[in-house]
């Protein structure tokens, strides 16, 4: 199959970068000066959007889009399912004399009414008020999505109910970003900064994914419908040799990567690194970090682009966290920092003790937030699909702890004892006015077993799953950081108001925080058994499964912090709680139905065919006067009996039960469906390794993982 996008080696990446984005430069060229200034103020400083501006922007956007071959426009929104949704409309509007005019007014840009009443709302909408509205997110640039059948102007939007409640994850992400910025700026003010540009959070997501040949994919109903294999014996050769990790990228995959990069560049998504990952068939792409809300939109778009381009190359791109049992799963590490373009990342150690004091205050804020709200971070990555990965010994444990690296951990140890005067390993000792050391910019060793690691200029949250939106972890990070910044700023402000010297106030605050929250810092091996025990003795929560984590969302502490910073109302939180439970139950129910169907109609018939062949063989040998060995027949028959029993149990678990609440329904999925599916799989996988290869109807792990 010829790839649809042809690669032109003469084409410079710089020329195509952002070619399909309605960029600031594009706006500047097309808008009157005053209007352009007003839009930029909204984008950059968070100023309120002047409605009068919308018409002018809409007109310019429409002209640009038509020049780019767009026939339709779409409000793109992100419902609570974590997916991307679009409502397309034609630019053309009929006029009286049978003609049509290209129309796109300001009000169409600002607001849409996709109805979309079938998206889960977790009780936020009853049918009489089922409508949802989309609203233009000025901060996220509009873009053109190309399609062989015509291009579409896509406008990133928020999705809210008639009563103004958020039905999506973009709205709370924007709210949380704003709250975090305000309180970070208070701390910076204390450190003497003036006229600070809006502080925002940055997010650099590292996306892992699998590629499989599409022929195999299409022959696996489980991959098609559940995104993961519900059956499949381990291949004789797995990932033990590590020969794939960072190895040469296969040619077809390289072609795919080049095409995805080209498409991402056109959409203004700065894809940077690409390489093979640990498992065979597994790869990674890491776009450069951007403002969290843009990174989040781009991340969703990236997944769409990857899926589309993979198909053109005869492959399927899998974003499931665990498509293949027994093989490494996929994560989406969220690299997180706060700052702005002028000050850079506030999580970078500086050159002077004063700068370092500021850095340590921001680090301490992170330590406090992660310790105090570990449960919220855990729930931000909890899903039926990520459960297959988290806590297994190739992904971070379900216990949320922070890795600081030896040098920074040592500094905080000294702070806990009252002061910090040396920086480990550097041999130098700076005793400044504020007795804080010069810190190394070198992050030290990387610890891959930590769910939350300091990596030199940012923290890397490693628990998010490959298939999830980064919006949810970013909302939690922003909110809990807002809480910490607020607390630290308030403490310092009152100390200073009470006449305490600033340096001394900082010193006391750092000591207090590390004493109270230092338990969350752990530099050891997160995969070890001992850590489970030690974490328990430190009082750190170990929320092993999604159902252990989801109730964290509606605990009083959660409601309090989300309401206080205006991120979620209690009703909005409850709706997320309900939707998360529904999604969990639904995901497992779909898998269970698939396992039943594939087990009964694909695996069992194949096994029975083989059983019949063996039985016939016994009869033929007997009639020829030979003494047949019927042990294989007996063993196969035994496994078939196990499979039949397991299928019957699964069928029963799917039909007879009643649940009073979304939680009960989810619990049933966890305690009844998951084990019943597992029993079916054990029997089916045993049959796969026993019966004749030519009778086995499903593509094997060997084929799916190694043929690319
Ligand atoms: P590694 O494999 O060492 O973790 P990668 O280059 O694969 O590094 O990915 C690192 C990610 O972190 C990239 O998305 C990068 O843009 C992002 N990143 C770098 N600096 C920051 C920062 N200050 N804030 C947020 N993300 C950052
Ligand atoms: Mg990486």
């Amino acid at each position: 199959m010829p790839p649809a996008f042809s690669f032109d080696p003469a084409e410079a990446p710089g020329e195509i970068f952002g070619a399909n984005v309605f960029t600031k430069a594009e706006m500047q060229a097309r808008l009157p000066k005053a209007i352009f200034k007003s839009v930029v103020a909204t984008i950059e400083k968070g100023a309120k959007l002047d409605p009068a501006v919308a018409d002018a922007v809409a007109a310019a956007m429409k002209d640009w889009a038509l020049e780019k071959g767009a026939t339709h426009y779409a409000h793109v929104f992100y419902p609570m399912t974590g997916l991307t949704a679009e409502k397309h409309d034609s630019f053309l509007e009929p006029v009286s004399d049978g003609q049509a005019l290209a129309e796109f007014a300001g009000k169409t840009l600002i607001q849409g009414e996709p109805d979309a009443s079938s998206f889960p709302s977790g009780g936020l909408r009853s049918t009489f008020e089922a409508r949802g509205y989309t609203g233009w997110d000025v901060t996220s640039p509009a873009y053109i999505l190309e399609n062989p059948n015509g291009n579409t102007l896509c406008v990133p939007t928020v999705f809210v109910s008639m009563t103004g409640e958020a039905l999506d994850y973009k709205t709370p992400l924007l709210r949380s970003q704003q709250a975090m910025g305000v309180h970070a700026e208070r701390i910076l003010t204390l450190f003497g900064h003036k006229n600070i540009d809006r502080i925002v959070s940055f997010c650099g997501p590292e996306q892992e994914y699998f590629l499989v040949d599409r022929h195999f994919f299409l022959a696996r109903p489980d991959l098609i419908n559940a995104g993961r294999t519900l059956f499949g014996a381990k291949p004789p050769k797995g990932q033990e040799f590590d020969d794939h990790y960072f190895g040469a990228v296969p040619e077809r995959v390289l072609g795919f990567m080049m095409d995805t990069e080209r498409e991402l560049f056109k959409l203004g998504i700065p894809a940077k690194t690409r390489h093979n990952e640990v498992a065979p068939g597994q790869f990674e792409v890491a776009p450069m970090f951007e403002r969290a809300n843009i990174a989040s939109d781009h991340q969703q778009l990236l997944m769409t682009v990857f899926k589309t381009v993979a198909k053109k190359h005869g492959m399927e791109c899998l974003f499931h966290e665990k498509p293949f049992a027994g093989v490494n799963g996929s994560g989406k590490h969220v690299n997180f920092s706060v700052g702005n373009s002028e000050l850079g990342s506030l999580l970078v150690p500086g050159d002077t003790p004063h700068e370092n004091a500021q850095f340590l205050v921001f680090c301490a804020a992170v330590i406090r937030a992660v310790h105090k709200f570990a449960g919220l971070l855990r729930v931000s990555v909890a899903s039926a699909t990520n459960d297959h990965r988290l806590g297994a010994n190739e992904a971070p444990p379900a216990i949320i702890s922070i890795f600081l690296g030896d040098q920074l951990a040592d500094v905080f140890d000294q702070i806990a004892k009252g002061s910090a005067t040396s920086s480990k390993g550097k041999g130098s000792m700076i005793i400044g006015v504020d007795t804080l050391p010069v810190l190394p910019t070198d992050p030290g060793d990387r610890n891959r077993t930590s769910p939350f690691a300091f990596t030199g200029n940012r923290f890397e949250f490693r628990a998010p799953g490959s298939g999830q939106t980064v919006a949810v972890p970013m909302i939690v990070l922003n909110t809990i950081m807002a809480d910490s910044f607020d607390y630290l700023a308030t403490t310092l402000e009152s100390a200073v108001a009470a006449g305490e010297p600033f340096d001394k106030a900082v010193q006391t605050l750092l000591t207090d925080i590390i004493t109270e929250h230092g338990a969350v810092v752990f530099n050891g091996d997160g995969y070890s058994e001992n850590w489970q025990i030690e974490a328990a003795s430190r009082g750190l929560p170990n929320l092993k499964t999604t159902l252990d984590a989801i109730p964290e969302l509606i605990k009083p502490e959660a409601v309090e912090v989300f309401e206080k910073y205006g991120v979620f109302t209690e009703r909005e939180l409850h709706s997320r709680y309900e939707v998360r439970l529904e999604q969990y139950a639904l995901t497992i129910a779909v898998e269970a139905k698939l396992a039943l169907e594939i087990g009964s109609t694909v695996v069992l018939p194949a096994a029975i065919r083989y059983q019949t062949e063996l039985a016939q063989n016994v009869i033929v040998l007997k009639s020829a006067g030979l003494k047949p060995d019927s042990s294989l027949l007996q063993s196969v028959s035994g496994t078939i009996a196990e499979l039949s029993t397991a299928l019957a149990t699964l069928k029963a678990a799917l039909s007879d039960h009643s649940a009073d609440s979304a939680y009960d329904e989810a619990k049933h999925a966890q305690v009844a469906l998951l084990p019943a599916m597992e029993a079916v799989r054990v029997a089916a996988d045993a049959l796969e390794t026993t019966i004749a290869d030519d009778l086995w109807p499903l593509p094997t792990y060997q084929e799916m993982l190694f043929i690319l």
Side-chain angles (χ1 to χ4, degrees), residues 42-43 46 78 135-140 156-160 166 168-182 198-201 291-297 471-472 474-476 478-479 565-568:
T42 303
I43 297 173
Y78 311 91
W136 180 32
D137 171 13
V138 188
T139 62
S140 187
T157 60
V158 295
F159 184 42
V160 294
D168 65 353
Y169 282 115
K170 183 193 256 288
T171 312
L173 177 55
L174 291 168
R175 293 172 181 164
S176 67
Q177 176 109 311
Q178 187 167 331
M180 188 282 301
V182 167
R198 180 51 27 104
I199 295 295
V200 294
S201 52
R291 281 180 191 210
N293 64 315
I294 311 277
S296 170
D297 288 2
V472 180
M474 285 310 305
I475 290 167
V476 169
N478 281 335
T479 309
Y565 296 100
V567 177
F568 288 120

Side-chain angles (χ1 to χ4, degrees), residues 202 204-206 272-273 284 286-289 335-337 345 446 448 457-458 460:
F202 294 108
E206 293 169 63
K272 212 187 68 178
T273 50
E284 182 188 291
M288 277 261 290
F289 68 95
N335 291 270
F336 157 82
S337 66
S345 168
R446 297 296 199 82
R448 288 275 157 201
N457 61 351
R458 62 187 187 273
E460 186 171 337

Side-chain angles (χ1 to χ4, degrees), residues 76-403:
V76 178
F77 57 102
Y78 311 91
M80 284 190 248
T81 52
L83 301 173
T84 307
E86 296 165 3
K87 189 194 180 216
H88 291 225
D89 281 291
S90 171
F91 277 120
L92 294 182
E93 284 188 14
V95 287
S96 52
D97 57 353
Q99 303 248 355
L101 272 181
E103 283 293 348
F104 190 59
K107 68 173 192 326
T108 326
L109 168 64
I110 291 181
Q111 195 180 80
E113 209 180 314
D115 187 3
S117 51
S118 297
F119 282 116
S121 75
L124 282 183
R125 294 185 294 179
S126 35
T127 30
F128 67 90
E129 51 171 68
R131 281 185 181 283
Y133 293 88
T134 53
W136 180 32
D137 171 13
V138 188
T139 62
S140 187
Y143 55 92
I144 302 276
L145 208 53
E146 291 178 2
N147 183 290
N149 302 314
N151 298 341
T152 304
L153 167 68
C154 293
V155 180
T157 60
V158 295
F159 184 42
V160 294
S161 76
M162 208 166 83
T163 48
E165 280 161 318
L167 296 171
D168 65 353
Y169 282 115
K170 183 193 256 288
T171 312
L173 177 55
L174 291 168
R175 293 172 181 164
S176 67
Q177 176 109 311
Q178 187 167 331
M180 188 282 301
V182 167
H183 296 289
E185 287 156 30
R186 283 172 61 203
I187 296 182
L188 289 173
T189 306
L190 284 160
F191 275 93
H193 297 270
K194 292 194 172 64
N195 303 321
I196 308 155
D197 274 352
R198 180 51 27 104
I199 295 295
V200 294
S201 52
F202 294 108
C203 166
E206 293 169 63
Q207 172 78 59
E208 292 178 333
Y209 59 95
F210 278 87
L211 289 171
V212 292
D213 187 285
R214 215 163 139 69
H215 294 101
F216 298 139
F217 172 78
L218 292 174
R220 294 284 316 211
D222 47 358
L223 274 186
I224 295 175
N225 293 294
R228 75 174 176 111
T229 52
L230 300 170
F231 299 95
K234 266 201 187 142
K237 179 189 164 197
Q239 65 191 50
E240 304 85 352
F241 292 107
D242 272 338
D243 46 359
H244 173 77
Y245 191 39
F246 280 88
V249 180
E251 202 171 292
R252 170 153 63 142
V253 175
L254 198 58
F256 158 83
M257 286 176 171
M258 285 170 147
D259 269 351
T260 52
E261 274 164 29
R262 187 167 183 276
E263 291 307 302
L264 294 177
F265 279 176
K266 281 200 270 179
L267 292 163
I269 303 175
K272 212 187 68 178
T273 50
R274 56 180 185 204
H275 57 76
N276 289 2
E277 261 303 325
V278 176
Q282 193 186 30
F283 306 90
E284 182 188 291
V285 56
M288 277 261 290
F289 68 95
E290 299 177 279
R291 281 180 191 210
N293 64 315
I294 311 277
S296 170
D297 288 2
H298 278 171
Q299 181 58 37
Q300 296 289 109
L301 196 49
L302 179 147
M303 293 200 281
T304 308
V305 167
F306 270 50
K307 286 243 162 225
T308 314
V309 175
K311 285 191 182 72
K312 309 231 150 111
H313 286 261
M315 297 182 289
E316 186 70 26
C317 183
L318 307 177
F319 288 116
H320 193 288
E321 284 77 4
K322 196 79 176 175
F324 304 99
V327 173
N328 235 53
S330 300
K332 179 142 61 194
H333 296 177
V334 167
N335 291 270
F336 157 82
S337 66
V338 294
N340 64 24
S341 48
E342 192 198 341
L343 298 169
S345 168
L346 298 171
L347 296 169
V348 180
D351 297 330
T352 66
H354 183 76
E355 283 168 0
N356 275 332
Q358 181 185 305
F359 160 72
L360 289 173
V361 163
F362 279 97
C363 266
V366 176
I367 293 170
R368 177 183 177 275
V370 173
H371 185 236
K372 193 173 165 199
F373 296 108
L376 285 181
L377 283 171
R378 175 66 184 88
V379 72
S380 79
V381 299
S383 68
T385 52
N386 210 14
D387 272 2
H388 296 289
R389 167 180 169 265
L390 282 189
N393 58 359
E394 26 110 349
I399 306 162
I400 304 287
S401 65
I402 297 188
F403 168 81

Side-chain angles (χ1 to χ4, degrees), residues 522-539:
F522 176 62
N523 284 321
D525 178 5
Y527 296 166
S528 72
E529 296 260 331
N530 280 345
W531 172 230
Q532 307 265 333
I533 300 161
E534 192 186 326
S537 76
R538 292 186 186 194

